[in-house]
Amino acid sequence: MSACGSRDAQRIAYDLADQITRRLFAIGLELHGALARIQDPRATERVRAALNGLDNTIDDLRRVAFDLHAAPRDPGPPDR
């Protein structure tokens, strides 16, 4: 893959990770809003556990996106 193609792939991956992070964050906000309405303590704990997992997933995605953005660009073999 050419250097330009590699940069394009990194940019696309970064944009995709950013978009997914935003969507997961919005889902988390919705769940936090619903949490106050849940009466069953067991259900509350399950939703909180799911929110923790969601937060961890968002952190992982941000780390991956940062790593992609900060990765040195390999020029690769010259185009022919």
Side-chain angles (χ1 to χ4, degrees):
M1 183 180 295
S2 69
C4 183
S6 177
R7 278 191 296 254
D8 287 344
Q10 285 180 327
R11 182 188 52 78
I12 291 167
Y14 179 80
D15 290 347
L16 184 58
D18 185 58
Q19 182 181 33
I20 292 169
T21 298
R22 289 173 191 261
R23 290 170 62 190
L24 290 173
F25 187 76
I27 292 167
L29 289 176
E30 289 291 326
L31 286 172
H32 274 290
L35 194 58
R37 297 178 176 255
I38 298 174
Q39 301 297 319
D40 182 351
R42 288 183 187 162
T44 297
E45 287 307 310
R46 290 184 72 179
V47 171
R48 284 189 184 165
L51 283 167
N52 285 335
L54 197 54
D55 287 343
N56 291 336
T57 301
I58 290 169
D59 289 343
D60 290 345
L61 270 171
R62 285 182 175 154
R63 217 172 357 267
V64 167
F66 179 78
D67 289 347
L68 284 170
H69 194 63
R73 294 191 165 78
D74 179 15
D79 290 337
R80 290 188 182 202

